[in-house]
Amino acid sequence: MIPQRLRPDNFTPPERTPWGGRSIVGRLKVGLRLDVDPEVPVGESWEVSTEPSFPSVLDSGERLVDAVAADLAGWLGTDVAAEHGGSPLLVKVIDAAEHLSVQVHPAEDHRLLAEGETGKTEAWIVLGAAPGARIYLGFREGVDARQVEACLTSGGALSALMNEVFVREGEVYLIRPGLAHALGAGTTVLEPQRVRPHRRSITYRYWDWNRGYDERGRVADGGTPRPLHVAEALAATSWRGPQGEALVATARREPVALPSGGRLVRWRLLDEPELWAERWEGTGAAPLPRLGTLMALVCLDGAVEIAWDGGTLALAAGQSAVVPAGAGGVRASLDDAHLALCCVPPTPAPGPRARV
């Protein structure tokens, strides 16, 4: 099994992301010369996906979900294949030119979910942040479900009850199920997610900034509001545990510098039961960690070469690749580049986890 590159244009329709900007096509993927109207905003690029809504396609033309299904153990490793029966990894790039709705994700097996639906855990790896850019994470100290419901019923601003967090490039936040959240205007993030395979991932919207939209999905005075799911959002929210700044602290992850040589710098961004991620930057080469499952690679800048016994694969800025569990001895060589690496790790056996 060998690494494979993915098509770089798995964009969701603009009417689905009326808050989208132009950084994905106009900056991240500008060198790929994609056939996309530069005036049309692109809010989401599903870089690595086997989710039914927007599955990724390999350079060969085969859908990633079909390739994985043909050899589950080879792609995912025996442990993840046995546990999930498909790839639980979804990786997006999100560009928010305007505030996203305030929303919450249910747990993967929440009672509200219908057959064929899944909740999820996700993370925000901040790739870009305009001056003053912010996110909204959970509710302030003392805010309860009744106050949130009253605010929404009266047409108030839910953001006033939330923790407002100013962000910078390089910051990382883990968004577990039950945490109310919203990306603010001027943020671009890499968003790895853990979902249940073969199911449509579900988001419940609390509030959408009292906006209306025309028939093309554009913000318009007097337009139709997007559907909200207030009862479901309230039911899916975790009301126990920390609030305020303590809650924000539980979501923030501090990147950890890893041993590396020369001009190549490696950072561990996530090392959670649900998600693992690193960011490499600079110039140099190193073997990919062998975590026993499918790994997603996203070239964020510069040029990257993926090499293994018998072949190489080039990635330019804005291109992504998948490395099967069965691919051995894979190395990444960076040339003044930034590379993100993501996976959903196998459920660890009891005792400390080893990372190679």
Side-chain angles (χ1 to χ4, degrees):
M1 307 212 53
I2 62 173
Q4 297 199 45
R5 190 168 47 221
L6 296 148
R7 284 184 50 171
D9 57 353
N10 194 21
F11 305 140
T12 57
E15 58 269 19
R16 177 186 166 103
T17 56
W19 37 262
R22 296 184 174 84
S23 290
I24 292 176
V25 174
R27 187 180 306 166
L28 175 63
K29 297 177 182 281
V30 66
L32 303 179
R33 303 182 182 276
L34 300 176
D35 185 17
V36 179
D37 186 339
E39 298 303 313
V40 174
V42 173
E44 293 182 326
S45 178
W46 291 37
E47 293 294 309
V48 177
S49 169
T50 61
E51 211 257 30
S53 302
F54 299 98
S56 298
V57 178
L58 300 170
D59 263 359
S60 64
E62 183 180 18
R63 297 193 314 168
L64 175 60
V65 64
D66 297 328
V68 170
D71 187 353
L72 282 176
W75 276 95
L76 305 176
T78 54
D79 291 342
V80 172
E83 181 180 358
H84 297 281
S87 174
L89 179 65
L90 174 61
V91 182
K92 302 180 184 180
V93 177
I94 297 180
D95 175 26
E98 304 293 340
H99 293 328
L100 273 66
S101 60
V102 178
Q103 53 194 237
V104 65
H105 303 305
E108 291 179 24
D109 57 353
H110 198 282
R111 60 177 175 79
L112 291 173
L113 295 171
E115 186 176 355
E117 295 180 342
T118 179
K120 58 186 174 183
T121 298
E122 65 189 29
W124 293 337
I125 300 169
V126 182
L127 303 181
R134 67 205 70 186
I135 60 177
Y136 297 85
L137 279 182
F139 296 108
R140 295 185 176 183
E141 194 71 43
V143 173
D144 60 21
R146 287 179 298 178
Q147 289 173 275
V148 171
E149 187 172 19
C151 175
L152 296 172
T153 301
S154 66
L158 186 59
S159 56
L161 301 181
M162 300 188 70
N163 302 307
E164 185 181 64
V165 183
F166 291 90
V167 295
R168 297 177 298 174
E169 180 182 345
E171 293 184 334
V172 181
Y173 296 87
L174 182 67
I175 314 297
R176 286 201 163 106
L179 176 59
H181 60 278
L183 280 174
T187 55
T188 302
V189 300
L190 183 70
E191 186 181 82
Q193 301 181 2
R194 171 189 158 131
V195 299
R196 295 180 72 180
H198 315 303
R199 297 171 182 241
R200 184 170 59 89
S201 57
I202 295 299
T203 296
Y204 297 132
R205 291 194 200 101
Y206 278 108
W207 183 64
D208 192 33
W209 306 88
N210 297 326
R211 293 178 294 209
Y213 302 87
D214 63 20
E215 65 281 355
R216 295 178 61 185
R218 298 173 300 190
V219 176
D221 292 337
T224 303
R226 299 179 83 188
L228 300 177
H229 322 95
V230 175
E232 294 88 344
L234 289 168
T237 300
S238 297
W239 296 104
R240 297 180 180 179
Q243 289 185 300
E245 288 300 318
L247 185 152
V248 173
T250 66
R252 184 182 286 116
R253 294 295 181 273
E254 295 295 337
V256 177
L258 300 174
S260 53
R263 295 170 55 203
L264 180 64
V265 180
R266 298 171 52 200
W267 298 91
R268 176 72 47 76
L269 306 181
L270 296 163
D271 196 2
E272 309 291 334
E274 306 95 331
L275 290 166
W276 175 96
E278 289 187 2
R279 179 168 177 166
W280 296 10
E281 52 189 86
T283 298
L288 297 186
R290 302 188 69 171
L291 303 182
T293 191
L294 177 148
M295 184 174 293
L297 308 180
V298 184
C299 182
L300 303 171
D301 193 17
V304 175
E305 182 180 81
I306 311 302
W308 61 95
D309 186 17
T312 61
L313 184 69
L315 296 179
Q319 290 183 315
S320 296
V322 281
V323 180
V330 181
R331 294 177 62 83
S333 299
L334 281 65
D335 184 6
D336 195 19
H338 288 77
L339 177 69
L341 305 83
C342 310
C343 78
V344 172
T347 299
R353 282 187 293 169
R355 291 298 191 212
V356 179

